[in-house]
Amino acid sequence: MAIMTSPFEPHDVTWNRVSPRLVTARLVPGTITLGIPLIAGVVLAITVGPWFWILAGVPAVFLVWSIFLVPRQVRAIGYAERDDDLLIRKGVMFRSMVVVPYGRMQYVDVEAGPLDRKLGLAKVQLHTASVGTDAQIPGLPPDEAARLRDRLASRGEARLAGL
């Protein structure tokens, strides 16, 4: 009898995880975005009337939900380098796995915004001929992002040259 495996858990793959600091990088903008209407709702509820507690409650619920969900989403992100391709997985409820053959890579970017730089994070973005490919690995330490960029670029060049 054949053993059934999940398409998201190949049996011969060792997954690399992203930095847990990515949780902070994702929660800070969300907290700011939800914090402003939350504070406005509390101020209006105190000064104008109790019906404005609803205005404060809605962003509070979303803030609590994101504090619960974002760490799970970050733990679900992983990547694995294989001989012929790179695997990238993400998602908790709606899972996805992208397989990028090294020979299809056109170029590899490393990006870091101000908050990412402050937290010591970078994102590796893979560009292929396919417009619909969402091949990115967020939340990497900068030295790992640089190593991965160089390794993927050299493997991509070798595959394109037919070596």
Side-chain angles (χ1 to χ4, degrees):
M1 177 178 241
I3 298 174
M4 296 297 286
T5 60
S6 167
F8 302 103
E9 295 293 335
H11 69 281
D12 61 340
V13 172
T14 302
W15 293 100
N16 298 306
R17 303 240 180 224
V18 298
S19 172
R21 291 186 303 250
L22 183 58
V23 172
T24 304
R26 290 191 171 176
L27 283 178
V28 166
T31 302
I32 291 169
T33 302
L34 294 170
I36 292 170
L38 175 64
I39 291 169
V42 169
V43 169
L44 288 171
I46 291 171
T47 58
V48 176
W51 286 103
F52 285 99
W53 283 112
I54 296 172
L55 181 65
V58 172
V61 167
F62 282 113
L63 184 60
V64 169
W65 178 248
S66 66
I67 289 170
F68 169 74
L69 186 63
V70 168
R72 293 189 66 206
Q73 289 175 332
V74 169
R75 283 192 305 272
I77 299 171
Y79 65 98
E81 298 175 67
R82 297 196 304 185
D83 292 337
D84 296 322
D85 51 28
L86 176 74
L87 304 177
I88 303 170
R89 72 174 181 185
K90 64 181 178 179
V92 177
M93 188 169 176
F94 298 97
R95 299 172 77 183
S96 72
M97 184 165 62
V98 177
V99 180
V100 183
Y102 296 129
R104 303 290 249 161
M105 287 186 221
Q106 292 181 330
Y107 61 98
V108 182
D109 282 339
V110 175
E111 303 171 0
L115 182 58
D116 292 332
R117 289 192 307 272
K118 180 75 173 167
L119 295 170
L121 298 173
K123 174 176 74 172
V124 172
Q125 177 79 42
L126 305 169
H127 298 275
T128 66
S130 173
V131 178
T133 302
D134 181 22
Q136 60 178 329
I137 308 169
L140 295 174
D143 56 339
E144 172 64 9
R147 182 203 68 80
L148 192 59
R149 177 200 60 214
D150 295 342
R151 184 171 171 101
L152 294 175
S154 67
R155 283 184 166 187
E157 288 173 11
R159 294 289 189 262
L160 281 174
L163 299 176

